[in-house]
Amino acid sequence: MASSNISWGIEVGAHAIKALKLENAGEMLNVLDFAVIPHPKPLSAPDTNPADVLRVSLGTLASQYDLSRASIAVSVPGHSSFARFAKLPPVEPKKVPDIVKFEAVQQIPFPLEQVEWDYQTFVSPDSPDVEVGIFAITRERIMERLGMFQEIGLVPDHVTLSPIAAYNALAYDLQFTEKTPGTVILDVGTTATDLVVAEAGRVWVRTFPIGGHQFTEALVNQFKLGYPKAEKLKREAQDSKHARHIFQAMRPVFTDLAQDVQRSIGYYQSLHRDANLVRLIGVGSTFHLPGLRKYLKQQLSMEVYRIEEFKRLKFEAKGQHADARAKEFADSSLNLATAYGLALQGLGLNAIKANLMPVSVMRESMWKRKTKWFGLAAGLAVAASAAMFIRPFLDSSAVAGTAPAPLINSTISKASQLKKAAEEAGVVGTAAADNRVANMMLLLEGRGIIPRIVDDLGLMMGSADQRLAPWVADPARSSSPKSAGLPPAYTVRTFNTEYLPPSAAAEEAPAEEAPQDDGGGRGGRFQSGGEGRGRGGGGGRGGGANEPFPDKQRVKVTMTVSTTAPDAQRFIIDTLQRWLKDNAVRPGVPYRIHVNDKPWTFIEQKEAAEATAAVGQPPAGGGGGGGRGEVIEEGGGRGGRGFAGRGGDGGGPPESGGRQPVGAADVDKFAPLAPPPSPYEPGTKMTTFRVEWLVVIEPEVKPEGEAAGREGGAK
């Protein structure tokens, strides 16, 4: 099993294989081993079969270094893979994978079933935009590369792009943060150059086909040399007496490289106008060319640095060649950046987590690693089973052969006599549980729920008031749009709450003990119209069987509201219904709001002037709440205390046994006052709705995603 504490990062380059073995030791990482194995011939050289050359180099790596008991991470070149970047529209976090998949279909020039791909999102602290990087490689190319590793008995755990690995190395070693100055990482390889922009929490990658091979080709064409001699001349150019002529021959390639870097940086800055790129860090053996840093600094007008050593790696060479080995590691630092980033991915310390390893190959590898343990596990299971069987058998035989003491027999006999006497006296047996006291205690525990529900009403109405002005001002909804002097979005006619205990407790209560109130019952009703008394035609105790969340305490909320907003049904959907669903679960609120797909019911529509005369009047039958069950507006029963003060005695109509009130209504009957002027324009319609929702009381409010999942499951 690969160790999660030790990792090999292996970069298969066009000139050599670079590998680095790291151990996670806390603040610093220990370098356990490293390797730089040049290919017999560069892969870019003419008349070279890259597959044959790679097999030789990989065989050398596997035979000279211990690659076991460590996680393995390898890279694929940037020019043989894809890196695309896009801004995502503002969506919920749970919908990001679907949006990214849509972007991948647009950005990757192959069908998704023919590629291995992964992505990473980037968020800038000063911008609300979310950007995504999509990384992919065709399945044919990745399987070809993995096949070469399998030939030497090696199955990697991670595969990523070379430019991503180089970025991970510098981001970890230089400890990049969101405040790190805008940095360009330039990895000039043998056949291509990877350019990575790291700025304000964002990463952007581009690869273009200029590298060390083009410098060598320039010398081949200028001096008519063979490729190996030109490569050697390039590497020894600084110490050559013909240095001036060598650099003169390579000058066009210098110019092409600088222009491609300038174009890449310019394109990035056109996408991010606020970008401030102040430095360039070079990696790769081509940066050993004298004059390259100075030339790029002049052309780009920014500071240009070259990696000389790694700050967060510790290498302690041992043995008689320790000094030479330490010097070799220091000289190789410029070429080991990609391998460094790959080893970090194996340790789980990488900033960008993209992994292009095919899932099918990973699954097959895991099974092969575990197969050798199956036989041992089976043998241990057989031995343990035998031990568990034999020991109880021996103990049982020993106990069976021993005669019980007389005291045990007499104690068992006495216990049987006492049990029989208790049963005859009716002391033991099955008794019905009475949970009424427990339910009353639950009411005390939730005494702060109703004030919170009332506060929700205020928040709901305030949100609707803010939505009314733009709604009315929309010519598509209103024939006479206006946005000033508007009345409140809704007039609350009634607002009732009814407590519902857990149904299991209600079912256990004896039916004959349920209080009856001539069809009304005493309800936990809370009404805004005041307090009414009397007995009337409200529904009896019912419902509950089909109520959602039957195992929890609930409060059923019913209110009647009127509105003059145009297109009233759409308005109530856009305001009250949306508010209830958007605020179903909130941090710090000890309940969730459960609503149906359509929590409102249309009641009536009439002229606003006519409806205004009834504002403030209690509904027919008084303000009392009915019993538990369906809300009956004419219901009797004892109601709760309302917002508008204490009302008079109410009740049902005369035929239901209610008592008619005596008071201000009689005075209005004999000496009516002129109706107040209506604040509404003639022809304005007032629509009345009934809105219902369920408050499900929970001691602990769950996270929003989990809560939504649970509620969806309950529905």
Side-chain angles (χ1 to χ4, degrees):
M1 186 70 181
S3 171
S4 60
N5 200 45
I6 300 176
S7 174
W8 271 102
I10 303 174
E11 178 196 6
V12 181
H15 184 268
I17 292 179
K18 282 87 72 176
L20 188 64
K21 185 178 184 180
L22 298 182
E23 178 187 30
N24 190 352
E27 286 293 327
M28 299 289 289
L29 299 179
N30 291 331
V31 178
L32 301 183
D33 207 347
F34 73 96
V36 178
I37 303 174
H39 297 313
K41 295 174 63 177
L43 302 185
S44 57
D47 302 326
T48 299
N49 187 333
D52 293 340
V53 174
L54 286 177
R55 288 188 178 92
V56 174
S57 300
L58 288 173
T60 302
L61 176 69
S63 61
Q64 295 183 2
Y65 296 89
D66 181 12
L67 304 178
S68 62
R69 295 185 299 277
S71 61
I72 305 293
V74 301
S75 66
V76 291
H79 64 269
S80 65
S81 52
F82 308 97
R84 302 290 186 267
F85 299 85
K87 288 185 179 180
L88 299 182
V91 296
E92 300 176 12
K94 63 181 180 181
K95 294 184 179 179
V96 167
D98 295 333
I99 299 297
V100 171
K101 186 174 182 180
F102 175 79
E103 288 291 342
V105 172
Q106 307 301 316
Q107 301 283 349
I108 299 175
F110 292 94
L112 289 188
E113 59 271 14
Q114 297 180 13
V115 299
E116 295 293 337
W117 68 284
D118 203 349
Y119 72 94
Q120 177 97 10
T121 55
F122 307 102
V123 180
S124 174
D126 301 326
S127 173
D129 295 333
V130 177
E131 298 187 25
V132 61
I134 301 173
F135 313 105
I137 186 173
T138 61
R139 192 160 294 165
E140 180 181 0
R141 287 182 176 177
I142 188 68
M143 295 306 295
E144 179 183 356
R145 180 59 59 92
L146 293 177
M148 294 183 181
F149 282 100
Q150 290 175 345
E151 289 179 5
I152 62 173
L154 190 65
V155 179
D157 301 288
H158 309 274
V159 177
T160 195
L161 280 63
S162 293
I164 298 303
Y167 166 78
N168 285 336
L170 297 189
Y172 178 82
D173 200 72
L174 302 180
Q175 297 180 310
F176 282 5
T177 66
E178 296 170 349
K179 297 182 180 180
T180 299
T183 302
V184 178
I185 301 171
L186 196 65
D187 185 359
V188 184
T190 301
T191 58
T193 294
D194 295 323
L195 183 144
V196 183
V197 177
E199 184 254 344
R202 296 186 293 247
V203 175
W204 184 81
V205 177
R206 181 174 181 258
T207 300
F208 47 88
I210 296 179
H213 169 70
Q214 280 69 29
F215 288 97
T216 305
E217 281 290 326
L219 297 180
V220 169
N221 297 330
Q222 181 68 25
F223 300 116
K224 309 303 180 184
L225 300 173
Y227 194 92
K229 289 185 177 181
E231 180 72 20
K232 181 180 180 182
L233 182 63
K234 180 185 71 173
R235 295 182 177 279
E236 299 173 352
Q238 186 173 7
D239 301 325
S240 173
K241 61 181 180 179
H242 304 293
R244 180 172 173 274
H245 298 88
I246 295 173
F247 289 117
Q248 191 68 27
M250 294 190 296
R251 185 176 181 84
V253 185
F254 276 81
T255 303
D256 292 341
L257 177 64
Q259 289 178 350
D260 266 322
V261 173
Q262 283 179 322
R263 280 195 292 266
S264 301
I265 294 175
Y267 180 71
Y268 176 81
Q269 291 176 330
S270 70
L271 298 177
H272 304 88
R273 300 291 183 180
D274 58 338
N276 182 25
L277 305 180
V278 298
R279 62 176 179 173
L280 183 146
I281 300 177
V283 296
S285 58
T286 304
F287 259 89
H288 283 298
L289 286 176
L292 179 58
R293 291 169 56 190
K294 181 179 180 181
Y295 184 78
L296 290 175
K297 181 178 180 180
Q298 293 173 349
Q299 298 297 317
L300 304 178
S301 299
M302 66 171 61
E303 293 297 326
V304 178
Y305 302 93
R306 185 177 68 186
I307 291 295
E308 303 292 348
E309 62 177 356
F310 296 117
K311 299 180 180 181
R312 303 184 69 182
L313 295 185
K314 182 174 63 175
F315 180 60
E316 295 181 357
K318 299 178 181 179
Q320 57 181 350
H321 303 294
D323 293 341
R325 188 68 171 160
K327 184 179 184 304
E328 182 183 356
F329 177 74
D331 294 340
S332 302
S333 296
L334 191 62
N335 296 328
L336 291 175
T338 301
Y340 183 5
L342 293 170
L344 289 174
Q345 184 155 3
L347 297 175
L349 301 175
N350 49 321
I352 298 181
K353 310 295 183 181
N355 186 7
L356 304 183
M357 186 68 183
V359 176
S360 59
V361 178
M362 293 176 64
R363 186 182 297 114
E364 181 181 356
S365 174
M366 291 176 62
W367 278 109
K368 287 182 177 180
R369 289 175 179 175
K370 294 179 179 180
T371 301
K372 62 183 180 181
W373 300 101
F374 289 164
L376 178 60
L380 292 175
V382 171
S385 300
M388 293 174 63
F389 172 77
I390 294 174
R391 186 63 191 178
F393 177 77
L394 296 176
D395 292 343
S396 177
S397 301
V399 171
T402 304
L407 180 59
I408 296 176
N409 292 332
S410 63
T411 302
I412 294 174
S413 177
K414 183 64 175 179
S416 300
Q417 295 175 5
L418 293 175
K419 181 178 179 182
K420 183 177 181 181
E423 291 176 350
E424 293 175 353
V427 175
V428 297
T430 303
D434 188 350
N435 295 319
R436 289 176 296 174
V437 174
N439 286 339
M440 293 178 68
M441 295 301 294
L442 291 177
L443 282 173
L444 293 177
E445 293 178 3
R447 58 185 178 274
I449 298 297
I450 293 298
R452 283 186 175 271
I453 296 176
V454 175
D455 184 56
D456 284 351
L457 177 63
L459 296 174
M460 198 185 314
M461 294 300 131
S463 174
D465 288 343
Q466 295 177 1
R467 185 76 181 107
L468 180 62
W471 187 274
V472 173
D474 188 351
R477 301 188 180 96
S478 177
S479 58
S480 56
K482 59 180 183 177
S483 59
L486 295 174
Y490 292 99
T491 300
V492 180
R493 303 290 187 178
T494 62
F495 183 72
N496 304 321
T497 61
E498 180 182 1
Y499 172 74
L500 305 176
S503 59
E507 292 172 0
E508 293 175 2
E512 63 274 14
E513 295 183 8
Q516 303 293 332
D517 262 356
D518 297 337
R522 299 175 71 87
R525 301 284 298 277
F526 185 88
Q527 182 163 326
S528 62
E531 180 181 16
R533 301 174 181 274
R535 304 162 85 85
R541 185 177 187 87
N546 296 323
E547 293 279 2
F549 306 98
D551 58 332
K552 299 182 180 297
Q553 300 182 81
R554 297 146 295 159
V555 176
K556 185 176 182 180
V557 184
T558 307
M559 73 174 176
T560 308
V561 294
S562 298
T563 180
T564 58
D567 199 355
Q569 289 190 5
R570 288 188 179 275
F571 185 64
I572 198 171
I573 292 172
D574 194 59
T575 54
L576 302 189
Q577 178 174 315
R578 175 177 292 182
W579 191 96
L580 288 169
K581 291 188 176 183
D582 289 348
N583 294 273
V585 178
R586 290 162 290 169
V589 178
Y591 57 77
R592 70 176 65 247
I593 295 175
H594 172 77
V595 293
N596 296 325
D597 293 337
K598 180 188 170 189
W600 52 270
T601 304
F602 172 80
I603 296 180
E604 64 177 3
Q605 186 180 66
K606 60 175 62 176
E607 291 291 335
E610 177 185 353
T612 305
V615 175
Q617 301 295 328
R628 180 178 178 186
E630 182 181 357
V631 176
I632 305 297
E633 293 299 326
E634 298 80 15
R638 184 185 181 98
R641 186 175 300 278
F643 297 127
R646 185 180 181 88
D649 284 344
E655 58 270 19
S656 64
R659 182 165 55 85
Q660 292 294 333
V662 178
D666 296 300
V667 177
D668 290 339
K669 179 178 180 181
F670 294 104
L673 298 175
S678 174
Y680 304 104
E681 297 180 1
T684 302
K685 299 293 185 181
M686 179 172 285
T687 310
T688 303
F689 300 92
R690 177 185 290 111
V691 186
E692 296 183 355
W693 67 92
L694 196 65
V695 171
V696 183
I697 302 172
E698 293 188 345
E700 297 181 4
V701 177
K702 303 298 181 184
E704 183 173 357
E706 180 183 348
R710 289 179 53 189
E711 183 174 343
K715 289 180 182 178

